[in-house]
Amino acid sequence: MQVVSISSLKGGVGKTSVTTGLASAALAAGIPTLVVDLDPHADATTALGVQPESQLDIGRMLKNPRKARIQENVAGSSWVSNGSSNGTLDVAIGSAFTGIYDRPDLGRRDLRRLTAVLGGTTTNYELVLIDCPPSLNGLTRMAWSASDRVVLVAEPGLFSVAGTERTMRAIQLFRQEFAPNLAPAGIIANRVRSGSAEHAYRLAEMESMFGELLLSPHIPEQANWQQIQGAAHSVHHWPGDSAKNSAKLFDALLQKLLTNQPALRDRRQR
């Protein structure tokens, strides 16, 4: 099981959109996937079409991680039940309750809470995507503690590029203190406008700053993305050429992320 955090220290860059796009690609590829909605806004839960019933949300599982029984409390995405796929795409439900852990003063023991919760999932999923809040407080650090790698999301703008640089430094410091095996998986440039000179300049700047960590392809700005999310629909099964093109881009990005993970890569190619 590979655990990947989707992070940004700047809000509004489309981090949840990237998380759901990668989840859509994984579902289309037949990779059993769990999305952990760690953002207190719980937007990933909404976009994945989850209707909570009696399940514990991720915040309440974190409260008592050793008794969480996550496999009994995940909810299936409606992307599966509506006929988009017969694969596995489950969600650890987000809620505002997680906000009690989004503090800067969590100790080492608290940072292991999500790791303990995910300990019961090793035989059920090949990929776990964690949608993190846009901060470096307790929840993001908890996610990084539980992760193998971190995917950073950035827009090609001044403040977002600066935020990405801060995040890279934060990962390095976190590795030294808490998680020596954690590594950046790459940076996804999101909401790119092809006709924008500013975006072209910032992309070139990111290439010079981050080199091969800046993944390609980039995700263009898409007018109907909010409509897709509002309908709780997989981009791979949304009609129209724009959605089809976006689906291909997320397929390519997922392949990049899985390049160094042979078990997932082989399943992806079958």
Side-chain angles (χ1 to χ4, degrees):
M1 184 175 71
Q2 293 297 316
V3 183
V4 180
S5 286
I6 316 298
S7 294
S8 170
L9 298 192
K10 184 184 182 302
V13 298
K15 173 179 52 59
T16 298
S17 298
V18 169
T19 302
T20 56
L22 292 173
S24 180
L27 180 63
I31 299 170
T33 299
L34 171 68
V35 174
V36 178
D37 190 356
L38 212 58
D39 192 327
H41 291 104
D43 290 337
T45 298
T46 301
L48 288 160
V50 174
Q51 298 294 330
E53 296 177 353
S54 60
Q55 299 99 332
L56 294 177
D57 60 65
I58 186 62
R60 287 173 172 78
M61 284 191 274
L62 291 173
K63 184 178 180 180
N64 195 348
R66 298 194 180 281
K67 297 182 180 179
R69 297 180 181 176
I70 185 172
Q71 207 55 53
E72 297 177 11
N73 287 294
V74 296
S77 168
S78 67
W79 296 359
V80 176
S81 60
N82 68 13
S84 296
S85 171
N86 60 359
T88 298
L89 179 57
D90 290 339
V91 183
I93 301 165
S95 80
F97 190 83
T98 57
I100 66 173
Y101 296 106
D102 208 24
R103 314 189 311 266
D105 60 343
L106 290 190
R108 189 179 296 268
R109 181 176 179 181
D110 283 326
L111 292 180
R112 301 290 296 173
R113 287 177 180 269
L114 183 58
T115 304
V117 169
L118 293 178
T121 66
T122 54
T123 60
N124 303 99
Y125 308 105
E126 294 181 26
L127 178 64
V128 177
L129 301 172
I130 306 176
D131 188 24
C132 301
S135 69
L136 191 55
N137 286 328
L139 289 173
T140 295
R141 294 164 71 227
M142 197 183 290
W144 289 1
S145 292
S147 296
D148 302 296
R149 294 186 292 167
V150 180
V151 172
L152 307 182
V153 181
E155 286 184 320
L158 172 62
F159 300 136
S160 182
V161 173
T164 302
E165 187 177 26
R166 290 196 305 272
T167 308
M168 292 293 290
R169 291 198 302 266
I171 291 172
Q172 183 60 34
L173 292 172
F174 192 82
R175 289 178 64 187
Q176 293 173 7
E177 187 172 359
F178 297 105
N181 295 323
L182 183 68
I187 301 163
I188 294 177
N190 191 36
R191 296 176 178 169
V192 176
R193 293 195 297 272
S194 59
S196 169
E198 171 67 10
H199 280 203
Y201 175 83
R202 295 301 173 188
L203 284 173
E205 182 181 40
M206 292 171 71
E207 287 175 358
S208 68
M209 292 171 65
F210 306 118
E212 293 181 355
L213 280 176
L214 181 61
L215 301 177
S216 62
H218 309 317
I219 302 298
E221 192 171 53
Q222 185 170 321
N224 65 349
W225 193 264
Q226 289 188 346
Q227 185 181 7
I228 295 171
Q229 290 186 316
H233 211 284
S234 162
V235 67
H236 282 70
H237 290 85
W238 189 262
D241 291 338
S242 177
K244 290 179 181 178
N245 290 335
S246 290
K248 291 178 181 177
L249 297 178
F250 279 112
D251 286 340
L253 286 170
L254 182 68
Q255 183 64 51
K256 287 279 181 72
L257 295 178
L258 304 184
T259 296
N260 296 322
Q261 308 300 331
L264 287 175
R265 184 188 63 220
D266 292 347
R267 185 182 185 91
R268 175 76 174 82
Q269 293 174 343
R270 281 203 295 267

